[in-house]
Amino acid sequence: MARVRLSVEERRAEILRVAVEQIEARGVGNVRIADVAKELGVSSSLVLYHFSTKELLVAESFAHAARGDLARLRELLGKPRSSATRRLRAAVRWYAPTGQAKGWRLWIEGWAAALREPALREVTHDLDRQWKAAIAEVVAEGVAAGEFHCERPEDTAWRLTALLDGLAVQMTSYTGSLSRTTMLEWVDDALVRELGIDHERLRTAR
């Protein structure tokens, strides 16, 4: 059977998808162009045609993953006819590590590699900025609607993000050290403190 001919954009997307999977499985330091090519059933030269170096492929792979994560975040935060409380809690619980934390392995790898790779550092930093901005925006909406009592939405976004990132590192690095139930209770406690609301209102928001 003849292989389906892909457009340049489709081929790049396919390479990036597989590269993300390989980084999750092998880590940034161990993944090779040859690993990506083998998984796709193509030559290494084809991968290098689209991404001239491994460093470029890795940086573009994280940008590809970031676009997907940000699209999902904006979908959760932008749901119509839903309170700011409900939208923010849904987004934070989606972002929180789940125990297996497969996606978090990718980002922890990215943070570590970004210490040495300027291109990757810019990608991860940009994702972080956009995540905080989206959270700050919905917090500000909640304040304007009288749902939240919060003086500085940007500070709240920073603190919530720092908590979730720290929990992700712990739960991904030390499997079983904290139950998902306890972790989500801590996340809800943080929302209650930051937003000036009570647990019942947080749980029953529509």
Side-chain angles (χ1 to χ4, degrees):
M1 182 182 297
R3 289 177 60 86
V4 176
R5 188 175 182 83
L6 302 178
S7 68
V8 172
E9 292 77 13
E10 290 170 334
R11 176 64 76 187
R12 284 176 61 88
E14 181 184 57
I15 292 171
L16 292 173
R17 175 184 59 79
V18 171
V20 167
E21 294 172 355
Q22 289 295 307
I23 291 168
E24 287 180 340
R26 301 171 183 270
V28 172
N30 294 323
V31 73
R32 303 175 302 163
I33 293 289
D35 298 322
V36 177
K38 181 179 179 181
E39 190 67 21
L40 285 167
V42 300
S43 66
S44 295
S45 60
L46 178 61
V47 177
L48 288 168
Y49 171 79
H50 292 280
F51 303 95
S52 56
T53 64
K54 173 188 166 179
E55 290 72 24
L56 178 59
L57 175 60
V58 168
E60 289 289 340
S61 297
F62 276 92
H64 176 75
R67 286 191 291 271
D69 285 352
L70 286 168
R72 177 59 176 155
L73 173 65
R74 287 168 180 147
E75 178 185 350
L76 290 168
L77 292 179
K79 286 188 174 180
R81 299 185 298 279
S82 184
S83 67
T85 305
R86 185 178 181 86
R87 286 181 284 138
L88 180 58
R89 190 183 191 224
V92 166
R93 283 180 160 240
W94 164 74
Y95 185 79
T98 62
Q100 288 99 19
K102 181 180 179 182
W104 275 107
R105 288 198 297 272
L106 175 71
W107 291 110
I108 292 170
E109 283 280 349
W111 291 334
L115 295 173
R116 300 176 297 277
E117 298 290 343
L120 185 53
R121 182 163 56 249
E122 182 56 34
V123 169
T124 56
H125 192 196
D126 185 56
L127 173 65
D128 189 63
R129 286 192 298 259
Q130 291 190 61
W131 166 262
K132 288 185 174 72
I135 292 296
E137 182 178 347
V138 76
V139 172
E141 288 177 17
V143 172
E147 293 181 49
F148 305 153
H149 303 285
C150 170
E151 292 185 1
R152 294 182 58 84
E154 295 83 2
D155 292 355
T156 291
W158 266 86
R159 287 189 291 268
L160 288 174
T161 302
L163 171 65
L164 293 168
D165 289 348
L167 287 171
V169 171
Q170 289 290 316
M171 293 189 71
T172 304
S173 301
Y174 311 113
T175 304
S177 60
L178 180 68
S179 72
R180 174 174 166 77
T181 299
T182 299
M183 182 268 297
L184 289 176
E185 287 176 355
W186 289 358
V187 170
D188 278 354
D189 288 345
L191 287 171
V192 165
R193 289 193 304 271
E194 291 290 347
L195 305 177
I197 61 178
D198 58 42
H199 280 88
E200 185 63 23
R201 183 175 169 188
L202 182 65
R203 286 193 298 267
T204 59
R206 296 184 178 276

